[in-house]
Amino acid sequence: SFALPSRFVMPVFALLGAAGGILSMGAGLAALRAGVRTARFYLAAWSTFMACMLVKVLELFGALDPSVSTAKAWQAGSLATVALLSLALADRINLEREERVSAQGDALQAREQAIGSLARYQRLVDTVPEGIFETDVNGSVINANPALARMFGYASVDEVRAIVRDLRRDHIKDPAEADRMIANLRATGQ
């Protein structure tokens, strides 16, 4: 050490390392209690690392006799931590993939239900005896049901779309009344 002898610095760093490890394990326990699935890997990784570092620290302070296993304990702990955190990452990726597949299934099911509802609505519109239609702002027919085509003397809805250019002008007795209805619709939305 540059400023202090290593006999003072080593215990300080050991205590800081232990405090950081304890905080990390506390965060892992909180995540596990909160139901985070990958927290078990996180806790296993930090527990292994802390145990291996404890062996190395005990060797440095003379509580354990030096050996190959105590000398390499921190390296083994680091390797085990990386492996366990890699498993946690793989588990998280798999979990997100499962959630995405589930969400896609839900979206597909909702889409199929919407298509079924639209088909039922279209059958209803096609079979009612009243004329139902949709026009653009210029009066061109966008969509209509077969009853409207029959009421106006056309063979099909496609013929109505092809021939009628302005429904107000071509088929409404009083175009001024139609203009008032459209103005009211725009103003009130009803």
Side-chain angles (χ1 to χ4, degrees):
S1 161
F2 294 111
L4 296 172
S6 63
R7 65 188 164 109
F8 294 119
V9 174
M10 291 297 284
V12 170
F13 282 127
L15 287 173
L16 288 174
I22 291 169
L23 285 173
S24 297
M25 291 182 64
L29 284 171
L32 187 64
R33 285 188 184 130
V36 177
R37 183 171 140 175
T38 55
R40 56 198 163 126
F41 291 109
Y42 182 84
L43 275 174
W46 281 109
S47 298
T48 302
F49 183 73
M50 291 298 293
C52 292
M53 289 307 293
L54 179 63
V55 168
K56 182 62 179 172
V57 168
L58 291 175
E59 180 209 23
L60 288 174
F61 289 121
L64 291 176
D65 293 329
S67 68
V68 173
S69 59
T70 59
K72 304 290 184 184
W74 72 271
Q75 293 168 330
S78 296
L79 180 64
T81 300
V82 168
L84 287 166
L85 291 176
S86 296
L87 287 173
L89 179 60
D91 186 56
R92 179 68 182 173
I93 290 169
N94 286 335
L95 179 63
E96 288 184 11
R97 183 177 297 137
E98 290 168 6
E99 289 171 353
R100 186 174 56 243
V101 167
S102 176
Q104 287 173 340
D106 293 346
L108 183 60
Q109 183 180 7
R111 180 177 178 255
E112 289 172 358
Q113 288 175 344
I115 289 171
S117 293
L118 284 172
R120 285 189 303 276
Y121 174 76
Q122 189 62 46
R123 280 193 305 273
L124 179 65
V125 168
D126 287 346
T127 58
V128 296
E130 292 85 14
I132 299 173
F133 62 93
E134 177 184 10
T135 65
D136 62 15
V137 294
N138 298 321
S140 297
V141 176
I142 296 171
N143 200 1
N145 67 346
L148 182 83
R150 284 190 302 275
M151 289 169 67
F152 289 156
Y154 297 104
S156 69
V157 173
D158 290 332
E159 187 178 357
V160 172
R161 283 191 208 109
I163 295 173
V164 177
R165 294 291 166 230
D166 185 347
L167 188 67
R168 290 171 294 195
R169 186 191 70 228
D170 296 345
H171 290 285
I172 295 180
K173 188 173 186 179
D174 184 5
E177 177 63 25
D179 289 339
R180 282 190 296 279
M181 287 173 44
I182 290 170
N184 184 44
L185 180 62
R186 287 184 179 149
T188 64
Q190 299 181 18

